[in-house]
């Protein structure tokens, strides 16, 4: 079943002491346009996130929002600058000599001096972090896909109803088209009788004119193609593959056939049918614009 390009999904997990939240939002777009917004310190995972989205979404404007609370995962390392501490200790001993006394140097005394102890954050495993972000993203994409499927079901039902209406309009054109030729033949005979009055009318000439007119206004090829396009669109509605672009192309063809019928037929009844037909095609085109 077709899917809509409009959807929203959200997921939250705690992995490796990181509280990760991912939101996915999408709207219709001609091609896939994926934008990722995440904390600066995690920009290394942007490509992996985009690749994950591409495996699930074929087209649409997709925005991915990632927030990470890594307070619990932060680990620090305390390092001793031994060379600097030794220099401080030596300086203290020199001060002791100047004071004519012995100086007892304790570790806590040295720790108070600047840069003797340095505190740094432990390096993160980038591959693990990237995998965690993508895992939460996949869960959000699953929720996003469910919403798109529900919207796609509604789109499919509306498009199917409009295809039914297009078929009814096509049947009306097929039914009315032969009648226009018969009416033209009758009117042509009446006009010639009125002009010629008592003069004899050549039946062969009437048949020839009627045949020329019938060939001019014949829409059999157009109605056959219309029914073929409708059948293909129905098959696409049942496909699990992205069909939005193909459906958009076929609807252009349906519109072209409708225009051709309207230009060929000079009958008022058929013209009214064509107006309704084109209105349904336009409404269906608007719906297909949101099909993936």
């Amino acid at each position: 079943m077709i899917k809509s390009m409009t959807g929203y999904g959200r997921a939250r997990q705690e992995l490796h002491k990181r509280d990760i939240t991912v939101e996915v939002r999408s709207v219709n777009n001609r091609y896939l346009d994926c934008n990722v917004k995440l904390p600066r310190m995690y920009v290394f995972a942007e490509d992996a996130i985009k690749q994950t989205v591409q495996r699930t979404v074929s087209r649409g404007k997709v925005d991915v929002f990632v927030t990470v609370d890594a307070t619990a995962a932060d680990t620090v390392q305390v390092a001793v600058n031994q060379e600097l501490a030794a220099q401080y200790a030596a300086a203290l001993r020199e001060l002791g000599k100047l004071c004519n006394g012995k100086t007892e140097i304790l570790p806590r005394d040295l720790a108070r001096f600047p840069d003797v102890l340095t505190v740094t954050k432990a390096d993160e495993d980038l591959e693990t972090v990237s995998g965690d972000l993508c895992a939460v993203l996949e869960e959000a994409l699953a929720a996003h896909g469910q919403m798109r499927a529900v919207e796609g079901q509604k789109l499919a039902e509306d498009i199917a109803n409009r295809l039914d209406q297009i078929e009814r309009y096509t049947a009306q054109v097929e039914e009315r088209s032969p009648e226009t030729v018969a009416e033209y033949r009758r009117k042509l005979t009446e006009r010639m009788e009125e002009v010629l009055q008592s003069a004899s009318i050549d039946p062969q000439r009437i048949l020839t004119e009627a045949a020329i007119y019938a060939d001019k206004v014949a829409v059999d090829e157009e109605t056959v193609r219309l029914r073929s396009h409708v059948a293909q669109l129905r098959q696409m509605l049942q496909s699990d593959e992205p069909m939005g672009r193909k459906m958009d192309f076929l609807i252009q063809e349906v519109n072209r056939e409708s225009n051709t019928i309207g230009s060929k037929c000079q009958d008022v009844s058929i013209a009214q049918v064509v107006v309704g037909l084109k209105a349904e095609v336009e409404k269906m085109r608007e719906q297909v614009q949101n099909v993936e």
Side-chain angles (χ1 to χ4, degrees):
M1 187 62 67
I2 63 172
K3 290 184 178 181
S4 169
M5 282 188 282
T6 302
Y8 173 80
R10 183 179 186 276
R12 179 179 179 182
Q13 290 188 46
E14 184 175 335
L15 300 174
H16 297 97
K17 298 182 179 181
R18 294 182 184 87
D19 188 357
I20 304 172
T21 302
V22 178
E23 291 181 282
V24 180
R25 299 175 185 175
S26 65
V27 294
N28 59 319
N29 195 54
R30 189 173 182 182
Y31 303 103
L32 177 60
D33 179 13
C34 182
N35 298 308
V36 180
K37 296 182 180 179
L38 71 170
R40 181 181 297 274
M41 63 184 300
Y42 296 105
V43 292
F44 60 85
E46 183 173 347
D47 288 341
I49 290 174
K50 287 185 175 181
Q51 291 175 8
T52 302
V53 171
Q54 290 172 359
R55 289 195 294 267
T56 305
V57 182
S58 62
R59 71 172 185 153
K61 187 178 185 304
V62 183
D63 292 317
V64 180
F65 303 92
V66 181
T67 57
V68 182
D69 182 359
T71 304
D74 290 342
T75 57
V76 296
Q77 295 177 343
V78 180
V80 179
N81 190 333
Q82 295 184 6
E83 182 178 354
L84 183 61
Q87 293 180 12
Y88 277 127
L92 290 175
R93 293 190 187 95
E94 290 294 329
L95 288 174
K97 291 179 181 180
L98 292 176
C99 295
N100 297 320
K102 293 184 179 180
T103 302
E104 183 180 2
I105 303 174
L106 299 176
R108 65 172 179 268
D109 298 326
L110 294 176
R112 295 192 182 99
F113 291 105
D115 301 327
V116 172
L117 298 179
T118 57
V119 181
T120 58
K121 185 178 178 180
D123 292 335
E124 294 182 310
D125 186 345
L126 302 185
E127 186 174 348
T128 299
V129 175
S130 180
D132 290 346
L133 296 178
C134 290
V136 182
L137 171 62
E138 288 176 352
E139 184 178 342
L141 285 172
H144 173 257
Q146 290 177 357
M147 182 174 179
R148 292 196 303 132
V150 172
E151 292 295 324
Q153 177 66 31
K154 295 178 181 178
L155 288 174
E157 292 174 358
D158 185 78
I159 293 172
N161 291 333
R162 300 197 183 282
L163 289 175
D164 290 340
Q165 188 62 34
I166 288 174
E167 284 186 320
R168 284 192 286 269
Y169 282 132
T170 303
Q172 292 176 21
V173 172
E174 292 171 335
E175 181 181 358
R176 177 61 183 165
S177 182
E179 296 177 358
T180 61
V181 178
E183 290 179 2
Y184 175 79
R185 180 178 176 180
R186 177 177 55 79
K187 291 179 180 179
L188 180 62
T189 303
E190 292 175 354
R191 289 173 186 170
M192 293 186 69
E193 288 177 346
E194 181 180 354
V195 172
L196 298 177
Q197 294 181 351
S198 60
S200 61
I201 301 174
D202 184 2
Q204 189 62 38
R205 180 63 183 273
I206 297 292
L207 291 175
T208 301
E209 291 293 335
I212 293 173
Y213 178 79
D215 183 66
K216 180 180 178 181
V217 300
V219 292
D220 296 348
E221 294 181 2
E222 287 76 14
T223 56
V224 168
R225 285 195 290 267
L226 267 179
R227 291 189 178 277
S228 175
H229 296 333
V230 169
Q232 291 182 64
L233 286 167
R234 290 191 187 281
Q235 291 179 354
M236 291 178 181
L237 290 178
Q238 303 302 321
S239 175
D240 293 329
E241 299 294 327
M243 288 292 173
R245 293 180 186 174
K246 292 182 179 179
M247 292 180 70
D248 187 54
F249 171 77
L250 268 183
I251 289 175
Q252 293 180 31
E253 295 301 308
V254 171
N255 188 60
R256 184 177 292 109
E257 302 300 342
S258 303
N259 288 332
T260 303
I261 292 174
S263 62
K264 278 188 173 183
C265 296
Q266 302 174 5
D267 180 70
V268 175
S269 299
I270 294 182
Q272 293 175 345
V273 172
V274 171
V275 169
L277 176 61
K278 294 180 67 174
E280 291 298 325
V281 172
E282 187 60 32
K283 292 175 183 176
M284 189 166 59
R285 186 204 299 272
E286 292 176 0
Q287 295 289 51
V288 170
Q289 294 300 317
N290 201 35
V291 175
E292 182 182 14

